[in-house]
Amino acid sequence: MKRRPNILVFFTDQQRADSCGCYGSPNGLTPFLDSLGEDGVVFDNAVSCQPVCGPARAVIQTGQFATRNGCYRNAIDLPADGQTLARRMKAAGYKTGYVGKWHLAGTGVEPVPEELRAGYEDYWIAADLLEFSSGPESGFVFDKQNRKREFEKYRVDAITDYAVETLRAHDPAEPLFLFVSYLEPHHQNNQNRYVAPEGYAQRYQDAWVPDDLVALDKPDADWRANLPDYYGCIRRLDENLERLVGVLKERGMYEDTIIVFTCDHGSHFRTRNGEYKRSCHEASVHIPLVFRGGQFRGGRHARQAVSLVDLAPTLLDLAGAAPAEEMDGRSFAAMAGQDIPGWDEAVLIQISESEVARALRTPRYKYCVTAPHKNPWLDACSDLYVEECLYDLQQDPWELNNLIADPACRQVKEELRALLLEKIAASGEETPVILPLER
């Protein structure tokens, strides 16, 4: 491995961690990813700190919480002048490239101008809202010169084609940071359903179903109708991951590349609220995160909790570049080989659009508070919250038993409340009041 490794981020959308074999799925959807995990590092407790598309992407590109970078909900442009991940990579001598779904420019189905690409200067084949510029089998993106690039094939395959094009255009002698962002397994918005490639959903009609979905099979839940297609999307993504790695090998870049597989958030299939994410629950916030390459070898499972806000500082660390001072996250690069002594595993989660809420995930508990008097589209935060959820993740990993009104949990709640307030203040917000639930 050379001093400055290539870094390839393979980024999916709305993918539950438990869809992957390396996170316990028995469905065989991700054999290639699992093989990377067996040779790399699987982060067992990776958490989305903002379980909705645009804000999660803003967190990754800035290393800041969504309320600090301003993109606390969808349809807010990423600030054009920030010290982003790509700009820091560029300053460190990297060629930077982006392929696929952007969701941070507010241009919809129009091209993303260069000043809104956050520093991805060298290679660009993307659409701001890929879910509207395309369907599962056809659509368009734009290249670096804002020329329309149309495709007539399964969207995952087309995005991979553009990533392959980028890899083949790159000089392997120069370090490359390439971010490949898929829409799948996200549902197709204008069809209000998940869409697998032809023939794939049929393979998973009788597949294993996570316990939370089975237990919460209420009338509005749609996992029975969608899970086979969801699984089919994930299988095709894994096949395309294998194809990209094949091109790295073909180009002589594989052993000089750190491959990162992750996503923005999960999916609870309308079991927790009226849509698929935007909740504090593990189905929404527990995400896959696998590194392979560089020091990430040997098949280790890193069990300390990490957050999406930590991803940018970690990638910069691996590139030999310093994170911007205003970044909120911390590098977890040292977890490649061992636990990090004193690592804080309490993760702050900010929730918007469905509700104005804040949650804390610790190794033992999930604690969530909401601001029902606030508008979840217009209000980024609140000065007042009330308790909503408390789950014991050790005793109740599927979060089926809400302990928030249990008198026996009073002390636990007090401790978590104090810690959550500290985390909220550290994220740059004014310290709010949290009212305990009294029943």
Side-chain angles (χ1 to χ4, degrees):
M1 175 66 72
K2 59 190 179 185
R3 185 179 63 85
R4 292 186 299 169
N6 305 308
I7 299 173
L8 170 67
V9 179
F10 190 101
F11 192 76
T12 66
D13 192 318
Q14 206 157 284
Q15 183 170 357
R16 294 171 62 112
D18 60 19
S19 68
C20 305
C22 51
Y23 286 86
S25 171
N27 289 325
L29 306 178
T30 58
F32 190 75
L33 174 65
D34 301 341
S35 72
L36 293 181
E38 289 168 0
D39 190 34
V41 176
V42 177
F43 291 84
D44 288 345
N45 288 289
V47 180
S48 174
C49 56
Q50 233 295 359
V52 63
C53 299
R57 284 164 172 74
V59 166
I60 292 169
Q61 299 303 332
T62 64
Q64 295 178 323
F65 284 106
T67 49
R68 196 188 298 276
N69 64 47
C71 299
Y72 71 90
R73 58 160 169 81
N74 286 325
I76 297 177
D77 298 357
L78 190 70
D81 57 355
Q83 281 298 309
T84 62
L85 173 58
R87 290 191 177 106
R88 302 295 285 187
M89 287 286 188
K90 190 70 179 174
Y94 276 72
K95 296 290 186 180
T96 57
Y98 197 97
V99 176
K101 172 179 174 175
W102 182 236
H103 210 143
L104 289 171
T107 60
V109 298
E110 298 301 318
V112 176
E114 185 175 353
E115 63 270 19
L116 294 181
R117 297 177 190 170
Y120 290 97
E121 297 180 3
D122 299 292
Y123 308 104
W124 177 272
I125 308 179
D128 186 44
L129 290 181
L130 187 60
E131 52 266 73
F132 295 116
S133 75
S134 64
E137 299 284 351
S138 65
F140 59 87
V141 294
F142 297 94
D143 66 14
K144 183 179 176 181
Q145 288 76 37
N146 286 331
R147 296 173 299 200
K148 184 181 285 188
R149 302 287 300 273
E150 297 184 276
F151 60 89
E152 295 286 340
K153 59 169 54 179
Y154 192 63
R155 182 168 43 210
V156 172
D157 301 339
I159 297 304
T160 304
D161 287 347
Y162 298 133
V164 168
E165 176 184 321
T166 301
L167 288 175
R168 289 183 173 153
H170 180 69
D171 180 354
E174 297 185 277
L176 173 66
F177 173 56
L178 179 61
F179 201 109
V180 185
S181 176
Y182 295 87
L183 178 63
E184 280 72 18
H186 192 286
H187 60 289
Q188 179 61 36
N189 295 57
N190 61 356
Q191 299 183 30
N192 201 28
R193 59 180 288 260
Y194 294 84
V195 185
E198 185 176 356
Y200 275 59
Q202 289 83 347
R203 304 179 188 181
Y204 305 109
Q205 294 295 326
D206 299 315
W208 169 79
V209 180
D211 285 6
D212 63 312
L213 302 184
V214 175
L216 299 170
D217 193 15
K218 56 188 184 181
D220 292 339
D222 65 1
W223 63 265
R224 289 188 182 277
N226 280 301
L227 205 56
D229 277 274
Y230 183 76
Y231 284 162
C233 295
I234 291 167
R235 182 70 192 95
R236 186 62 151 251
L237 283 161
D238 190 71
E239 292 169 348
N240 278 269
L241 174 62
E242 184 172 13
R243 182 154 72 99
L244 268 186
V245 170
V247 176
L248 288 175
K249 292 178 178 178
E250 167 197 311
R251 300 282 293 156
M253 300 169 65
Y254 180 60
E255 292 304 331
D256 290 329
T257 299
I258 296 173
I259 299 165
V260 180
F261 180 101
T262 193
C263 77
D264 51 357
H265 53 76
S267 177
H268 58 66
F269 293 92
R270 305 187 194 277
T271 58
R272 301 293 187 171
N273 56 34
E275 40 84 82
Y276 295 111
K277 56 260 189 181
R278 301 179 179 92
S279 84
C280 71
H281 303 90
E282 291 292 275
S284 292
V285 303
H286 186 202
I287 56 174
L289 178 63
V290 178
F291 279 59
R292 189 276 175 195
Q295 66 259 49
F296 296 93
R297 302 296 296 273
R300 167 176 161 77
H301 278 255
R303 304 195 183 280
Q304 290 179 306
V306 298
S307 169
L308 274 186
V309 78
D310 300 323
L311 187 58
T314 301
L315 297 181
L316 291 170
D317 190 2
L318 295 172
E325 290 184 2
E326 61 267 29
M327 287 185 174
D328 293 310
R330 310 158 292 168
S331 173
F332 53 79
M335 285 185 200
Q338 62 183 3
D339 289 350
I340 298 177
W343 181 265
D344 182 2
E345 293 195 71
V347 176
L348 173 66
I349 301 164
Q350 299 179 327
I351 302 165
S352 63
E353 297 193 13
S354 65
E355 58 184 351
V356 178
R358 298 293 180 266
L360 187 74
R361 184 188 189 273
T362 73
R364 176 76 185 265
Y365 293 105
K366 176 79 61 59
Y367 175 70
C368 182
V369 300
T370 64
H373 61 295
K374 290 292 188 178
N375 184 314
W377 186 257
L378 300 178
D379 297 318
C381 55
S382 178
D383 57 352
L384 179 69
Y385 294 91
V386 295
E387 294 180 330
E388 181 180 69
C389 299
L390 175 66
Y391 297 105
D392 185 332
L393 299 178
Q394 291 181 8
Q395 301 298 320
D396 178 27
W398 300 105
E399 297 170 309
L400 302 176
N401 183 22
N402 186 357
L403 302 172
I404 199 67
D406 188 342
C409 297
R410 182 182 298 273
Q411 182 175 347
V412 168
K413 288 195 300 177
E414 289 177 358
E415 294 171 357
L416 294 172
R417 187 184 311 128
L419 183 53
L420 177 57
L421 289 169
E422 289 180 14
K423 291 286 185 180
I424 290 173
S427 74
E429 297 180 43
E430 294 293 325
T431 303
V433 172
I434 297 176
L435 297 179
L437 184 68
E438 300 292 350
R439 291 182 182 173

